[in-house]
Each structure stands twice: as structure tokens, then as C-alpha cells.
Amino acid sequence: QWMGSSLAEAELSAGHAERAIAECDSVMRVGDEQADAAIVLPRLRVARIRALGLLALGRTIEAKATLAPALALAEALDIPSMLGLLHEASARIALAEADRVGFLLHCAETDRHLRPTQNPSLVATLERLIAAGAAESSDDTELRSAPGPAHEDATIAEGARSR
């Protein structure tokens, strides 16, 4: 399952969304067929990869449906880094759907879970998400990283108010 999830991520990174999705489905099948051998982290990882692959194909409804149970499981098991990565994928889907509120909510959750890890790769993932949101902004909302302790909410949305 670990190898399959790595292969799926490599396929997605190479721009082969359909092959990534197929590999994700294969990893899930193995876990389903061998329930005692199902490993949670690779399953959560392939849920994220599958959702991003579906997003690349423009299938946002399926992408959201893939992430919903994974988010619930990661929350229930209290796996912060994986929860942050799942929220990052959810934020990207919201961004693709021009759902600014959804993007901001998932971006804040991504920040809440990833920044405290102080893992350079995870923080870079967060920073790329913030940059993508700022680049796609169609109103006066700006996202920026705020310096401060990791326990503070470090993602600030300026101008994002309910009307």
C-alpha cells in the first residue's frame, strides 16, 4: 500500500491523472480485500491523490466525495499532518470551483495543521496554497502569511467579510 501510494503520487506529479486514479483505486482494493492488512495512512494518502487527480480532470464533485470520508477519518484519528494535506486538497477544489469561502476555510485548516509541524515540505505546501489563492483572487481579498507563534492562526484573510 505504501509503494502503491508513492506510485500514484508520482503519476499525479507527472501529469498522469488517470493513471494516478487507477493506482489509487488499486491500493484501496488491496486494503478492502485484506482488511486486516489495510494501513490507514496510505489509504488517506491515496484519497488525497485520487481527489487531486479527479480535480485535474475537472471532476470536482467526485473529488469532494473522495475527500469527505478521509477528512472524517483523519480527524477522528487525530493525524494533524494528513488532516492538513487533506484540507489543502479541499482548498484546491474550492479554488477551482471559485468557492472563496470554502477556500479560505480549508486554507485556514491547512495552516492550523501544517504550520505547527515546522516541517519545511509541509509548510512549503501551505505557502504554495496561499500563493495559489492570492493569484486566483478575483476580489479585494488578499492572503498572506503572518509571523507569529505556531499556535496562532497564521493565515489571515483581509477583506473577506460577509455582506
Side-chain angles (χ1 to χ4, degrees):
Q1 292 168 327
W2 283 108
M3 187 174 71
S5 67
S6 295
L7 178 57
E9 189 160 33
E11 291 287 7
L12 184 63
S13 295
H16 306 292
E18 290 176 354
R19 291 187 350 209
I21 293 167
E23 188 60 38
C24 289
D25 292 345
S26 175
V27 169
M28 294 301 279
R29 267 192 309 279
V30 167
D32 291 343
E33 292 168 1
Q34 302 169 3
D36 59 328
I39 305 170
V40 173
L41 285 176
R43 290 176 71 87
L44 293 173
R45 184 178 182 200
V46 297
R48 177 182 177 270
I49 296 164
R50 186 176 196 283
L52 291 172
L54 291 165
L55 174 61
L57 298 175
R59 295 161 51 186
T60 58
I61 294 170
E62 288 175 78
K64 288 191 286 190
T66 297
L67 285 176
L71 279 163
L73 181 57
E75 181 76 40
L77 296 175
D78 192 26
I79 307 172
S81 59
M82 184 54 67
L83 193 54
L85 290 169
L86 292 167
H87 276 291
E88 180 261 347
S90 296
R92 291 192 179 280
I93 293 166
L95 194 60
E97 293 182 321
D99 174 4
R100 193 70 179 156
V101 172
F103 172 79
L104 291 171
L105 291 172
H106 286 293
C107 189
E109 286 298 303
T110 302
D111 190 289
R112 184 167 75 91
H113 294 289
L114 296 187
R115 194 173 303 276
T117 69
Q118 298 182 355
N119 177 308
S121 177
L122 295 176
V123 173
T125 297
L126 168 64
E127 295 297 334
R128 284 191 302 273
L129 177 64
I130 292 169
E136 292 293 322
S137 180
S138 62
D139 58 18
D140 63 347
T141 301
E142 295 179 15
L143 292 178
R144 64 178 169 85
S145 287
H151 66 275
E152 293 179 5
D153 183 8
T155 300
I156 298 175
E158 296 176 348
R161 296 181 186 19
S162 320
R163 302 197 197 286

Short mmCIF file of all heavy atoms in Angstrom, two decimals, residues 1-2 25-40 42-43:
data_model
loop_
_atom_site.label_atom_id
_atom_site.label_comp_id
_atom_site.label_asym_id
_atom_site.label_seq_id
_atom_site.Cartn_x
_atom_site.Cartn_y
_atom_site.Cartn_z
N GLN A 1 0.82 -1.19 0.00
CA GLN A 1 0.00 0.00 0.00
C GLN A 1 0.87 1.26 0.00
O GLN A 1 0.52 2.24 -0.64
CB GLN A 1 -0.95 -0.02 1.18
CG GLN A 1 -2.00 -1.10 1.04
CD GLN A 1 -2.77 -1.33 2.33
OE1 GLN A 1 -2.23 -1.19 3.41
NE2 GLN A 1 -4.02 -1.71 2.20
N TRP A 2 1.98 1.21 0.74
CA TRP A 2 2.87 2.37 0.75
C TRP A 2 3.45 2.58 -0.64
O TRP A 2 3.49 3.72 -1.14
CB TRP A 2 4.01 2.18 1.77
CG TRP A 2 3.57 2.40 3.18
CD1 TRP A 2 3.39 1.44 4.13
CD2 TRP A 2 3.23 3.64 3.79
NE1 TRP A 2 2.97 2.03 5.31
CE2 TRP A 2 2.86 3.38 5.12
CE3 TRP A 2 3.21 4.96 3.34
CZ2 TRP A 2 2.49 4.37 6.02
CZ3 TRP A 2 2.83 5.95 4.23
CH2 TRP A 2 2.47 5.65 5.55
N ASP A 25 -7.08 3.54 -6.84
CA ASP A 25 -8.15 2.55 -6.74
C ASP A 25 -7.58 1.16 -6.44
O ASP A 25 -8.16 0.40 -5.67
CB ASP A 25 -8.98 2.53 -8.02
CG ASP A 25 -9.79 3.80 -8.21
OD1 ASP A 25 -9.95 4.58 -7.23
OD2 ASP A 25 -10.25 4.05 -9.34
N SER A 26 -6.43 0.85 -7.02
CA SER A 26 -5.78 -0.43 -6.77
C SER A 26 -5.35 -0.55 -5.30
O SER A 26 -5.56 -1.59 -4.67
CB SER A 26 -4.56 -0.58 -7.69
OG SER A 26 -3.86 -1.75 -7.39
N VAL A 27 -4.78 0.51 -4.76
CA VAL A 27 -4.37 0.50 -3.34
C VAL A 27 -5.59 0.29 -2.45
O VAL A 27 -5.54 -0.48 -1.48
CB VAL A 27 -3.63 1.81 -2.99
CG1 VAL A 27 -3.44 1.94 -1.48
CG2 VAL A 27 -2.29 1.87 -3.71
N MET A 28 -6.68 0.98 -2.78
CA MET A 28 -7.89 0.83 -1.96
C MET A 28 -8.45 -0.58 -2.05
O MET A 28 -8.91 -1.13 -1.04
CB MET A 28 -8.95 1.86 -2.40
CG MET A 28 -8.52 3.29 -2.13
SD MET A 28 -8.17 3.64 -0.41
CE MET A 28 -9.82 3.88 0.19
N ARG A 29 -8.41 -1.18 -3.25
CA ARG A 29 -8.89 -2.55 -3.41
C ARG A 29 -8.09 -3.52 -2.54
O ARG A 29 -8.66 -4.39 -1.88
CB ARG A 29 -8.84 -2.99 -4.87
CG ARG A 29 -10.11 -2.75 -5.63
CD ARG A 29 -10.12 -3.47 -6.98
NE ARG A 29 -8.94 -3.21 -7.79
CZ ARG A 29 -8.74 -2.12 -8.54
NH1 ARG A 29 -9.65 -1.18 -8.57
NH2 ARG A 29 -7.64 -1.99 -9.26
N VAL A 30 -6.78 -3.36 -2.54
CA VAL A 30 -5.93 -4.24 -1.72
C VAL A 30 -6.33 -4.11 -0.26
O VAL A 30 -6.48 -5.12 0.44
CB VAL A 30 -4.43 -3.90 -1.92
CG1 VAL A 30 -3.58 -4.57 -0.86
CG2 VAL A 30 -3.98 -4.29 -3.30
N GLY A 31 -6.52 -2.90 0.20
CA GLY A 31 -6.92 -2.69 1.59
C GLY A 31 -8.30 -3.27 1.89
O GLY A 31 -8.53 -3.81 2.96
N ASP A 32 -9.21 -3.16 0.91
CA ASP A 32 -10.56 -3.69 1.11
C ASP A 32 -10.55 -5.22 1.12
O ASP A 32 -11.27 -5.84 1.90
CB ASP A 32 -11.49 -3.20 0.00
CG ASP A 32 -11.78 -1.71 0.11
OD1 ASP A 32 -11.54 -1.13 1.20
OD2 ASP A 32 -12.24 -1.13 -0.90
N GLU A 33 -9.73 -5.82 0.26
CA GLU A 33 -9.67 -7.28 0.17
C GLU A 33 -8.95 -7.90 1.36
O GLU A 33 -9.24 -9.01 1.75
CB GLU A 33 -8.98 -7.70 -1.13
CG GLU A 33 -9.79 -7.36 -2.37
CD GLU A 33 -9.00 -7.49 -3.66
OE1 GLU A 33 -7.81 -7.87 -3.60
OE2 GLU A 33 -9.57 -7.21 -4.72
N GLN A 34 -8.01 -7.17 1.91
CA GLN A 34 -7.23 -7.67 3.04
C GLN A 34 -7.42 -6.71 4.21
O GLN A 34 -6.50 -6.01 4.60
CB GLN A 34 -5.76 -7.76 2.66
CG GLN A 34 -5.50 -8.64 1.46
CD GLN A 34 -4.07 -8.50 0.96
OE1 GLN A 34 -3.25 -7.81 1.54
NE2 GLN A 34 -3.78 -9.19 -0.12
N ALA A 35 -8.63 -6.69 4.74
CA ALA A 35 -8.99 -5.71 5.77
C ALA A 35 -8.01 -5.70 6.94
O ALA A 35 -7.72 -4.64 7.49
CB ALA A 35 -10.41 -5.97 6.27
N ASP A 36 -7.48 -6.85 7.29
CA ASP A 36 -6.52 -6.88 8.40
C ASP A 36 -5.18 -6.27 8.01
O ASP A 36 -4.37 -5.91 8.87
CB ASP A 36 -6.32 -8.32 8.90
CG ASP A 36 -5.80 -9.25 7.82
OD1 ASP A 36 -6.15 -9.06 6.64
OD2 ASP A 36 -5.05 -10.18 8.16
N ALA A 37 -4.94 -6.11 6.70
CA ALA A 37 -3.68 -5.54 6.24
C ALA A 37 -3.84 -4.09 5.78
O ALA A 37 -2.89 -3.46 5.35
CB ALA A 37 -3.13 -6.37 5.08
N ALA A 38 -5.05 -3.57 5.89
CA ALA A 38 -5.29 -2.19 5.46
C ALA A 38 -4.55 -1.24 6.40
O ALA A 38 -4.70 -1.31 7.62
CB ALA A 38 -6.78 -1.88 5.46
N ILE A 39 -3.76 -0.38 5.83
CA ILE A 39 -2.97 0.57 6.61
C ILE A 39 -3.59 1.95 6.39
O ILE A 39 -3.80 2.37 5.26
CB ILE A 39 -1.50 0.55 6.18
CG1 ILE A 39 -0.95 -0.88 6.28
CG2 ILE A 39 -0.67 1.51 7.04
CD1 ILE A 39 0.41 -1.06 5.66
N VAL A 40 -3.87 2.64 7.48
CA VAL A 40 -4.63 3.88 7.40
C VAL A 40 -3.93 4.98 6.62
O VAL A 40 -4.54 5.60 5.74
CB VAL A 40 -5.00 4.38 8.82
CG1 VAL A 40 -5.65 5.75 8.77
CG2 VAL A 40 -5.91 3.40 9.51
N PRO A 42 -1.56 5.13 4.18
CA PRO A 42 -1.58 5.07 2.72
C PRO A 42 -2.99 5.25 2.14
O PRO A 42 -3.16 5.84 1.08
CB PRO A 42 -1.03 3.69 2.38
CG PRO A 42 -0.33 3.23 3.60
CD PRO A 42 -0.96 3.94 4.76
N ARG A 43 -3.98 4.77 2.86
CA ARG A 43 -5.36 4.93 2.37
C ARG A 43 -5.76 6.40 2.38
O ARG A 43 -6.41 6.88 1.45
CB ARG A 43 -6.33 4.08 3.20
CG ARG A 43 -6.14 2.59 2.93
CD ARG A 43 -7.02 1.74 3.82
NE ARG A 43 -8.43 1.82 3.49
CZ ARG A 43 -9.04 1.05 2.59
NH1 ARG A 43 -8.36 0.16 1.91
NH2 ARG A 43 -10.32 1.18 2.37
#
